[in-house]
Each structure stands twice: as C-alpha cells, then as structure tokens.
Amino acid sequence: MFLSSDISFYIISLGCSKNLVDSEKINGEMLSCGFKRASTPEEADIIIINTCGFIEEAKKESIDVIFESINLIEVFQNEEHLLPYYKGDQIDALNFKKKIVAIGCLSKRYYDEILSDIPEIDLLYGLVDDNLIKHLCHRFDIRSAHSNRKKRSPLIDNLPYSYIKISEGCSNNCSYCAIPLIRGNLISFPIDMILHDSQEAVQKGAKELIIIAQDIASYSYDKYRLPDVVKRISDIDGVEWIRLLYCHPDNLYDDIIELIHINKKVVKYIDIPFQHVSKRILKSMSRKGDYQSYYRLVMNLRERIPNIRIRSTFMIGYPGETKDEFSELVKFIERVRLDRIGCFMYSKEENTRASMLKGHHPEEIKRNRYDELMMIQKDISKQKLRGMIGWEVEVMIEDEIDEKTWLGRSTFDAPEVDGVFYLTGDDVALNTIVKAKITSTLEYDLIGELI
C-alpha cells in the first residue's frame, strides 16, 4: 500500500465559480489526508479534472482537457516512478504510474459514455461528495493520513476574495438548462455551514466574499432567506466587501434590493441573468418576465441604489427566436444600457424541454446575432466607463505590475468576468483596499491614481 504523503496531485477546475468551490473542497481534503500539492500537471502523480457539462462549449473544453492530460501522461508512461510500498512489515519500491481522475458535471451526466469511450481515465466519478477521496484511495491502493478536517483550500494562494456557495442545485427548471438534471433540485445549505465557510475564508486572507449559487435569490433554510444570511456574514470581522452573483429576476424581491441599499459591506453591484426580454420566449423558458417588467426592475434598482452596477446574461438563438424578438432584445439593451453583459449562444442540451422544440437555428444565425449584440454592448460599456472619469472609488489591489503600477478591481467589477483597474501609486500593498481616482479608461477597464 502506498502512503498519501509520498503522492502529489494537481487539480484542474473547469467551468463556473460554483465548480471552483467544489475543487477547493477537494484540494483541502487531499491536503488534510496527507497528499502533496504539485505546482504543475507534469509534476503530479494524480491529475484531478473537475469537469463542466453545462453547454456544448463547456463540454468540449472538458473533453479536450481530459485528452490533453492523457497525452501528457503518455509522455511519462515508460518512466518508472518508484515509491515506497508498505506490505505488513515489509517495504518494497514499486512503480506508481500517473493517474487521471475525472469528476464533476460532465462525468455525472455522461458517466456511461465516458467510461466506455475514454478507458484511459483511471477513476471516473460523479459529483464531488464526502466519499470521493476515500474512493480514490481505495482505487489506487493508497493509505491516507486520517483527518477529520474538511477545510476548503484555495487553488491559488493569497487571493483577497473567496466564493461562498450557499446552495446546490436549482428548482427554477428553465427549459434550456441541464443543471437540475445534473445536480438536482435546490438544496439550501444550513446557515452555520455558510458562516463557517465565510469565517474560514476570512482567516485565509479574503476581504471580499462573493455569494454564489445557481440562484442565490431562492435561498431558504429554516427561517433564513438571502438577506438574513448576508447580514450574518457582514457581521464577521475582516469582511470588507460582499458581492451578490446570480439572482434570478423572478425571485429578486424587495428585501434583496433593500439589503444592497442599506448594508454598507454589500457592494453596489448585482448579477441578474435576464436571458431574454420577449414574453413568448421567456414563457417558453419557464420564466415569468418580459421587456416591461425587466425594464421596471432595472429602473427600480437604479432609483433605490444610486450608481449601482448591473450585470446580466442573455441567450442568443433560443429555438424559434424570430428576427422581431431578437430586435426587441436589442432595443432593450440599447435602452437600459446595462453596465456589463455576457451572452451565450443557445446550446441544445439533450433531455431538456427546449431541445424538443421546433425552430432550432443554424450556427451562422446565432453567431451573427451574438456578434451584433456584443458590439452594441461594447460601445455602451465604453461610454459608461468614460462617464466615471473623475470618480473616487475603492480598489482591491491584487497584483503588482511594476514599482508604481498595480492591478486591482473596483467595487463595480467581479473577478474573472468583469474589467480590472490599473492603479498608479507608491507604497501600495497587495490584498489591501485603497482609495483611487479614475483618470482614464479602456474598453472594459479603468485607469486611475492613488489618492
């Protein structure tokens, strides 16, 4: 039997920030069980790939990464990696060949197909759970250091932010979405668990906590809803920013708007995935909104919370989307002038209701509509950023470019999906929040100087 302390691992986390939280849990448990974290896949004895299976593009990326890892391992397949092997009182040196572990959404959704088509995977597992590491050790004949600690551990050290997942699954049952098929209906986490994760993140240096789930607005556990959870998190010493991501517009009630308005630690930013504005399409998607209701919601947010930044997501080329319905979406974007939007082209996902609809568009039409919408939004974002020149804002410092130039984010930008802030100043420390004045802009980014 091999010992975990002799074996290294490397995690490749694909897909969304919710997947990243699962990867951080794996990372923490592997370290707690005595495994060593490798700096690169090439150095690792075990490569763990946390896959995404949400849309076609994400599935393709997951498959590509699996085959890239297989090719990497084939380079080393003729090399012996001798490790101590314990058998009773005897110790031998045996070859531990590099392993590939595939887990997550793609593995759960297409388990049988992957098992049949990619036999090079040494361990195929579904969604991350408490039995994963135990199963891994049993499969690879590894004795782990017994530990009851199940702490998350970031894949990148010293980040000033951390994602806090407050629920699993989703019960909105949008017609195009495979998440309920993969992860099931909504299960809200106990508030004590969420507070524990939040406190642990702060102890590791996080100053910004980003609240995530498939739909955080649907959170409900015992007597607690989202505003109650965020209020408790904001009472934790060391939390400076709280950011709310992924609020389904049908569930964005007044108490959440009031939370953003009155709680000083909640940044004036929200992510609302509208997906479309055509009433017919939204009804087909199993959503309740329309152009006017979404317009009123945006205006209400801006009236109640001056200078709030609103991000949204829109789907292009939903089955049966007419030219007029796409034009209606374009007019909405031009009228409400959201600060940030993300678009994705409809992906036909098997076993979803939308996949059985008529009127699926060819890729060329979806691509043309996508390009048109993103070009419009590019100009809107550029103009809105220029309107911020002269503003004084808070900036989270995340990296050093040179002695007098720093890379960070304002409260108006979420990590990984929005823009960055290029700051000029002396004596700036990493992972701190400073005051800056905006002096210039790029297409999606801000430039400024330390105040």
PDB file of all heavy atoms in Angstrom, residues 257 274 288-304 310 332 335-336:
ATOM      1  N   ILE A 257     -33.207  43.968  -2.656  1.00  0.00           N
ATOM      2  CA  ILE A 257     -32.844  45.317  -3.104  1.00  0.00           C
ATOM      3  C   ILE A 257     -32.531  46.198  -1.895  1.00  0.00           C
ATOM      4  O   ILE A 257     -31.557  46.952  -1.884  1.00  0.00           O
ATOM      5  CB  ILE A 257     -33.975  45.920  -3.952  1.00  0.00           C
ATOM      6  CG1 ILE A 257     -34.187  45.076  -5.219  1.00  0.00           C
ATOM      7  CG2 ILE A 257     -33.667  47.375  -4.320  1.00  0.00           C
ATOM      8  CD1 ILE A 257     -35.371  45.511  -6.061  1.00  0.00           C
ATOM      9  N   PHE A 274     -31.043  37.836 -17.018  1.00  0.00           N
ATOM     10  CA  PHE A 274     -32.352  38.011 -17.647  1.00  0.00           C
ATOM     11  C   PHE A 274     -32.608  36.974 -18.743  1.00  0.00           C
ATOM     12  O   PHE A 274     -33.743  36.564 -18.976  1.00  0.00           O
ATOM     13  CB  PHE A 274     -32.470  39.415 -18.263  1.00  0.00           C
ATOM     14  CG  PHE A 274     -32.600  40.520 -17.256  1.00  0.00           C
ATOM     15  CD1 PHE A 274     -31.724  41.588 -17.247  1.00  0.00           C
ATOM     16  CD2 PHE A 274     -33.608  40.496 -16.315  1.00  0.00           C
ATOM     17  CE1 PHE A 274     -31.855  42.624 -16.337  1.00  0.00           C
ATOM     18  CE2 PHE A 274     -33.751  41.517 -15.385  1.00  0.00           C
ATOM     19  CZ  PHE A 274     -32.868  42.590 -15.400  1.00  0.00           C
ATOM     20  N   LYS A 288     -41.060  34.193 -15.935  1.00  0.00           N
ATOM     21  CA  LYS A 288     -42.273  34.992 -15.820  1.00  0.00           C
ATOM     22  C   LYS A 288     -42.144  36.389 -16.427  1.00  0.00           C
ATOM     23  O   LYS A 288     -43.135  37.084 -16.566  1.00  0.00           O
ATOM     24  CB  LYS A 288     -42.657  35.134 -14.345  1.00  0.00           C
ATOM     25  CG  LYS A 288     -42.930  33.823 -13.645  1.00  0.00           C
ATOM     26  CD  LYS A 288     -43.182  34.048 -12.161  1.00  0.00           C
ATOM     27  CE  LYS A 288     -43.370  32.737 -11.416  1.00  0.00           C
ATOM     28  NZ  LYS A 288     -43.539  32.946  -9.958  1.00  0.00           N
ATOM     29  N   GLY A 289     -40.943  36.840 -16.740  1.00  0.00           N
ATOM     30  CA  GLY A 289     -40.734  38.232 -17.070  1.00  0.00           C
ATOM     31  C   GLY A 289     -41.085  38.612 -18.486  1.00  0.00           C
ATOM     32  O   GLY A 289     -41.519  37.800 -19.302  1.00  0.00           O
ATOM     33  N   ASP A 290     -40.851  39.890 -18.784  1.00  0.00           N
ATOM     34  CA  ASP A 290     -40.973  40.416 -20.131  1.00  0.00           C
ATOM     35  C   ASP A 290     -40.204  41.735 -20.191  1.00  0.00           C
ATOM     36  O   ASP A 290     -39.605  42.165 -19.201  1.00  0.00           O
ATOM     37  CB  ASP A 290     -42.436  40.615 -20.535  1.00  0.00           C
ATOM     38  CG  ASP A 290     -43.210  41.550 -19.604  1.00  0.00           C
ATOM     39  OD1 ASP A 290     -42.575  42.384 -18.911  1.00  0.00           O
ATOM     40  OD2 ASP A 290     -44.446  41.457 -19.567  1.00  0.00           O
ATOM     41  N   TYR A 291     -40.224  42.367 -21.339  1.00  0.00           N
ATOM     42  CA  TYR A 291     -39.488  43.611 -21.552  1.00  0.00           C
ATOM     43  C   TYR A 291     -39.815  44.643 -20.465  1.00  0.00           C
ATOM     44  O   TYR A 291     -38.916  45.204 -19.814  1.00  0.00           O
ATOM     45  CB  TYR A 291     -39.843  44.166 -22.936  1.00  0.00           C
ATOM     46  CG  TYR A 291     -39.121  45.416 -23.363  1.00  0.00           C
ATOM     47  CD1 TYR A 291     -38.213  45.370 -24.421  1.00  0.00           C
ATOM     48  CD2 TYR A 291     -39.361  46.638 -22.748  1.00  0.00           C
ATOM     49  CE1 TYR A 291     -37.552  46.531 -24.832  1.00  0.00           C
ATOM     50  CE2 TYR A 291     -38.700  47.790 -23.142  1.00  0.00           C
ATOM     51  CZ  TYR A 291     -37.804  47.727 -24.185  1.00  0.00           C
ATOM     52  OH  TYR A 291     -37.159  48.864 -24.579  1.00  0.00           O
ATOM     53  N   GLN A 292     -41.107  44.905 -20.261  1.00  0.00           N
ATOM     54  CA  GLN A 292     -41.511  45.971 -19.347  1.00  0.00           C
ATOM     55  C   GLN A 292     -41.169  45.652 -17.893  1.00  0.00           C
ATOM     56  O   GLN A 292     -40.705  46.521 -17.148  1.00  0.00           O
ATOM     57  CB  GLN A 292     -43.010  46.244 -19.501  1.00  0.00           C
ATOM     58  CG  GLN A 292     -43.394  46.861 -20.831  1.00  0.00           C
ATOM     59  CD  GLN A 292     -42.674  48.178 -21.092  1.00  0.00           C
ATOM     60  OE1 GLN A 292     -42.374  48.944 -20.164  1.00  0.00           O
ATOM     61  NE2 GLN A 292     -42.393  48.466 -22.361  1.00  0.00           N
ATOM     62  N   SER A 293     -41.396  44.410 -17.456  1.00  0.00           N
ATOM     63  CA  SER A 293     -41.110  44.074 -16.059  1.00  0.00           C
ATOM     64  C   SER A 293     -39.612  44.129 -15.773  1.00  0.00           C
ATOM     65  O   SER A 293     -39.188  44.581 -14.694  1.00  0.00           O
ATOM     66  CB  SER A 293     -41.671  42.689 -15.716  1.00  0.00           C
ATOM     67  OG  SER A 293     -41.023  41.664 -16.454  1.00  0.00           O
ATOM     68  N   TYR A 294     -38.805  43.703 -16.738  1.00  0.00           N
ATOM     69  CA  TYR A 294     -37.363  43.771 -16.529  1.00  0.00           C
ATOM     70  C   TYR A 294     -36.867  45.216 -16.586  1.00  0.00           C
ATOM     71  O   TYR A 294     -35.959  45.612 -15.850  1.00  0.00           O
ATOM     72  CB  TYR A 294     -36.644  42.916 -17.576  1.00  0.00           C
ATOM     73  CG  TYR A 294     -36.775  41.421 -17.339  1.00  0.00           C
ATOM     74  CD1 TYR A 294     -36.320  40.508 -18.293  1.00  0.00           C
ATOM     75  CD2 TYR A 294     -37.367  40.914 -16.183  1.00  0.00           C
ATOM     76  CE1 TYR A 294     -36.444  39.133 -18.090  1.00  0.00           C
ATOM     77  CE2 TYR A 294     -37.496  39.556 -15.983  1.00  0.00           C
ATOM     78  CZ  TYR A 294     -37.036  38.670 -16.939  1.00  0.00           C
ATOM     79  OH  TYR A 294     -37.152  37.328 -16.739  1.00  0.00           O
ATOM     80  N   TYR A 295     -37.493  46.021 -17.455  1.00  0.00           N
ATOM     81  CA  TYR A 295     -37.137  47.440 -17.511  1.00  0.00           C
ATOM     82  C   TYR A 295     -37.457  48.107 -16.167  1.00  0.00           C
ATOM     83  O   TYR A 295     -36.642  48.861 -15.622  1.00  0.00           O
ATOM     84  CB  TYR A 295     -37.885  48.126 -18.643  1.00  0.00           C
ATOM     85  CG  TYR A 295     -37.666  49.624 -18.696  1.00  0.00           C
ATOM     86  CD1 TYR A 295     -36.500  50.153 -19.239  1.00  0.00           C
ATOM     87  CD2 TYR A 295     -38.623  50.499 -18.188  1.00  0.00           C
ATOM     88  CE1 TYR A 295     -36.293  51.526 -19.280  1.00  0.00           C
ATOM     89  CE2 TYR A 295     -38.426  51.868 -18.221  1.00  0.00           C
ATOM     90  CZ  TYR A 295     -37.254  52.375 -18.764  1.00  0.00           C
ATOM     91  OH  TYR A 295     -37.050  53.727 -18.794  1.00  0.00           O
ATOM     92  N   ARG A 296     -38.635  47.820 -15.619  1.00  0.00           N
ATOM     93  CA  ARG A 296     -39.018  48.407 -14.328  1.00  0.00           C
ATOM     94  C   ARG A 296     -38.080  47.962 -13.216  1.00  0.00           C
ATOM     95  O   ARG A 296     -37.734  48.745 -12.321  1.00  0.00           O
ATOM     96  CB  ARG A 296     -40.466  48.029 -13.978  1.00  0.00           C
ATOM     97  CG  ARG A 296     -41.508  48.740 -14.838  1.00  0.00           C
ATOM     98  CD  ARG A 296     -42.900  48.575 -14.226  1.00  0.00           C
ATOM     99  NE  ARG A 296     -43.311  47.179 -14.203  1.00  0.00           N
ATOM    100  CZ  ARG A 296     -43.981  46.575 -15.178  1.00  0.00           C
ATOM    101  NH1 ARG A 296     -44.301  47.249 -16.289  1.00  0.00           N
ATOM    102  NH2 ARG A 296     -44.331  45.305 -15.063  1.00  0.00           N
ATOM    103  N   LEU A 297     -37.636  46.711 -13.260  1.00  0.00           N
ATOM    104  CA  LEU A 297     -36.708  46.213 -12.245  1.00  0.00           C
ATOM    105  C   LEU A 297     -35.386  46.969 -12.300  1.00  0.00           C
ATOM    106  O   LEU A 297     -34.850  47.388 -11.262  1.00  0.00           O
ATOM    107  CB  LEU A 297     -36.478  44.711 -12.452  1.00  0.00           C
ATOM    108  CG  LEU A 297     -35.434  44.052 -11.532  1.00  0.00           C
ATOM    109  CD1 LEU A 297     -35.789  44.257 -10.066  1.00  0.00           C
ATOM    110  CD2 LEU A 297     -35.301  42.571 -11.859  1.00  0.00           C
ATOM    111  N   VAL A 298     -34.863  47.176 -13.504  1.00  0.00           N
ATOM    112  CA  VAL A 298     -33.607  47.912 -13.645  1.00  0.00           C
ATOM    113  C   VAL A 298     -33.770  49.349 -13.152  1.00  0.00           C
ATOM    114  O   VAL A 298     -32.919  49.878 -12.418  1.00  0.00           O
ATOM    115  CB  VAL A 298     -33.124  47.889 -15.112  1.00  0.00           C
ATOM    116  CG1 VAL A 298     -31.935  48.826 -15.295  1.00  0.00           C
ATOM    117  CG2 VAL A 298     -32.752  46.472 -15.531  1.00  0.00           C
ATOM    118  N   MET A 299     -34.869  49.989 -13.531  1.00  0.00           N
ATOM    119  CA  MET A 299     -35.098  51.370 -13.093  1.00  0.00           C
ATOM    120  C   MET A 299     -35.267  51.452 -11.583  1.00  0.00           C
ATOM    121  O   MET A 299     -34.788  52.398 -10.942  1.00  0.00           O
ATOM    122  CB  MET A 299     -36.344  51.936 -13.783  1.00  0.00           C
ATOM    123  CG  MET A 299     -36.215  52.113 -15.300  1.00  0.00           C
ATOM    124  SD  MET A 299     -34.796  53.142 -15.794  1.00  0.00           S
ATOM    125  CE  MET A 299     -33.672  51.876 -16.440  1.00  0.00           C
ATOM    126  N   ASN A 300     -35.946  50.487 -10.997  1.00  0.00           N
ATOM    127  CA  ASN A 300     -36.127  50.455  -9.544  1.00  0.00           C
ATOM    128  C   ASN A 300     -34.788  50.317  -8.828  1.00  0.00           C
ATOM    129  O   ASN A 300     -34.514  51.013  -7.833  1.00  0.00           O
ATOM    130  CB  ASN A 300     -37.056  49.300  -9.169  1.00  0.00           C
ATOM    131  CG  ASN A 300     -37.389  49.276  -7.680  1.00  0.00           C
ATOM    132  OD1 ASN A 300     -37.415  50.314  -7.013  1.00  0.00           O
ATOM    133  ND2 ASN A 300     -37.656  48.098  -7.157  1.00  0.00           N
ATOM    134  N   LEU A 301     -33.933  49.438  -9.333  1.00  0.00           N
ATOM    135  CA  LEU A 301     -32.610  49.265  -8.735  1.00  0.00           C
ATOM    136  C   LEU A 301     -31.810  50.566  -8.803  1.00  0.00           C
ATOM    137  O   LEU A 301     -31.173  50.970  -7.822  1.00  0.00           O
ATOM    138  CB  LEU A 301     -31.858  48.144  -9.456  1.00  0.00           C
ATOM    139  CG  LEU A 301     -32.255  46.712  -9.087  1.00  0.00           C
ATOM    140  CD1 LEU A 301     -31.746  45.735 -10.142  1.00  0.00           C
ATOM    141  CD2 LEU A 301     -31.683  46.346  -7.719  1.00  0.00           C
ATOM    142  N   ARG A 302     -31.849  51.216  -9.937  1.00  0.00           N
ATOM    143  CA  ARG A 302     -31.069  52.447 -10.098  1.00  0.00           C
ATOM    144  C   ARG A 302     -31.622  53.591  -9.258  1.00  0.00           C
ATOM    145  O   ARG A 302     -30.861  54.436  -8.779  1.00  0.00           O
ATOM    146  CB  ARG A 302     -31.026  52.826 -11.583  1.00  0.00           C
ATOM    147  CG  ARG A 302     -30.130  51.909 -12.395  1.00  0.00           C
ATOM    148  CD  ARG A 302     -30.195  52.230 -13.873  1.00  0.00           C
ATOM    149  NE  ARG A 302     -29.202  51.442 -14.619  1.00  0.00           N
ATOM    150  CZ  ARG A 302     -29.208  51.282 -15.928  1.00  0.00           C
ATOM    151  NH1 ARG A 302     -30.164  51.860 -16.658  1.00  0.00           N
ATOM    152  NH2 ARG A 302     -28.271  50.559 -16.524  1.00  0.00           N
ATOM    153  N   GLU A 303     -32.943  53.602  -9.087  1.00  0.00           N
ATOM    154  CA  GLU A 303     -33.539  54.653  -8.262  1.00  0.00           C
ATOM    155  C   GLU A 303     -33.229  54.436  -6.784  1.00  0.00           C
ATOM    156  O   GLU A 303     -32.908  55.385  -6.054  1.00  0.00           O
ATOM    157  CB  GLU A 303     -35.053  54.682  -8.483  1.00  0.00           C
ATOM    158  CG  GLU A 303     -35.759  55.772  -7.682  1.00  0.00           C
ATOM    159  CD  GLU A 303     -37.257  55.785  -7.924  1.00  0.00           C
ATOM    160  OE1 GLU A 303     -37.721  55.077  -8.846  1.00  0.00           O
ATOM    161  OE2 GLU A 303     -37.961  56.505  -7.193  1.00  0.00           O
ATOM    162  N   ARG A 304     -33.330  53.195  -6.341  1.00  0.00           N
ATOM    163  CA  ARG A 304     -33.107  52.884  -4.926  1.00  0.00           C
ATOM    164  C   ARG A 304     -31.636  52.897  -4.552  1.00  0.00           C
ATOM    165  O   ARG A 304     -31.281  53.214  -3.410  1.00  0.00           O
ATOM    166  CB  ARG A 304     -33.699  51.496  -4.617  1.00  0.00           C
ATOM    167  CG  ARG A 304     -35.198  51.387  -4.782  1.00  0.00           C
ATOM    168  CD  ARG A 304     -35.954  51.828  -3.544  1.00  0.00           C
ATOM    169  NE  ARG A 304     -35.645  50.966  -2.420  1.00  0.00           N
ATOM    170  CZ  ARG A 304     -36.212  49.769  -2.214  1.00  0.00           C
ATOM    171  NH1 ARG A 304     -37.114  49.296  -3.081  1.00  0.00           N
ATOM    172  NH2 ARG A 304     -35.903  49.060  -1.151  1.00  0.00           N
ATOM    173  N   ILE A 310     -25.027  46.939 -12.781  1.00  0.00           N
ATOM    174  CA  ILE A 310     -25.853  45.754 -13.041  1.00  0.00           C
ATOM    175  C   ILE A 310     -25.227  44.949 -14.169  1.00  0.00           C
ATOM    176  O   ILE A 310     -24.955  45.473 -15.252  1.00  0.00           O
ATOM    177  CB  ILE A 310     -27.291  46.158 -13.422  1.00  0.00           C
ATOM    178  CG1 ILE A 310     -27.911  47.008 -12.312  1.00  0.00           C
ATOM    179  CG2 ILE A 310     -28.142  44.913 -13.679  1.00  0.00           C
ATOM    180  CD1 ILE A 310     -29.261  47.599 -12.677  1.00  0.00           C
ATOM    181  N   PHE A 332     -33.954  46.592 -25.980  1.00  0.00           N
ATOM    182  CA  PHE A 332     -33.850  46.591 -24.522  1.00  0.00           C
ATOM    183  C   PHE A 332     -32.429  46.943 -24.092  1.00  0.00           C
ATOM    184  O   PHE A 332     -32.214  47.785 -23.206  1.00  0.00           O
ATOM    185  CB  PHE A 332     -34.255  45.218 -23.978  1.00  0.00           C
ATOM    186  CG  PHE A 332     -34.156  45.094 -22.479  1.00  0.00           C
ATOM    187  CD1 PHE A 332     -35.196  45.529 -21.669  1.00  0.00           C
ATOM    188  CD2 PHE A 332     -33.038  44.532 -21.881  1.00  0.00           C
ATOM    189  CE1 PHE A 332     -35.119  45.415 -20.296  1.00  0.00           C
ATOM    190  CE2 PHE A 332     -32.939  44.405 -20.505  1.00  0.00           C
ATOM    191  CZ  PHE A 332     -33.988  44.849 -19.705  1.00  0.00           C
ATOM    192  N   ARG A 335     -31.718  50.517 -24.658  1.00  0.00           N
ATOM    193  CA  ARG A 335     -32.490  51.421 -23.797  1.00  0.00           C
ATOM    194  C   ARG A 335     -31.994  51.408 -22.352  1.00  0.00           C
ATOM    195  O   ARG A 335     -31.791  52.471 -21.756  1.00  0.00           O
ATOM    196  CB  ARG A 335     -33.972  51.045 -23.837  1.00  0.00           C
ATOM    197  CG  ARG A 335     -34.850  51.991 -23.042  1.00  0.00           C
ATOM    198  CD  ARG A 335     -36.307  51.555 -23.084  1.00  0.00           C
ATOM    199  NE  ARG A 335     -37.176  52.488 -22.381  1.00  0.00           N
ATOM    200  CZ  ARG A 335     -38.447  52.252 -22.085  1.00  0.00           C
ATOM    201  NH1 ARG A 335     -39.012  51.107 -22.466  1.00  0.00           N
ATOM    202  NH2 ARG A 335     -39.165  53.140 -21.423  1.00  0.00           N
ATOM    203  N   VAL A 336     -31.795  50.219 -21.773  1.00  0.00           N
ATOM    204  CA  VAL A 336     -31.453  50.165 -20.347  1.00  0.00           C
ATOM    205  C   VAL A 336     -29.968  50.368 -20.100  1.00  0.00           C
ATOM    206  O   VAL A 336     -29.565  50.730 -19.002  1.00  0.00           O
ATOM    207  CB  VAL A 336     -31.906  48.831 -19.699  1.00  0.00           C
ATOM    208  CG1 VAL A 336     -33.396  48.654 -19.832  1.00  0.00           C
ATOM    209  CG2 VAL A 336     -31.169  47.645 -20.307  1.00  0.00           C
TER     210      VAL A 336
END
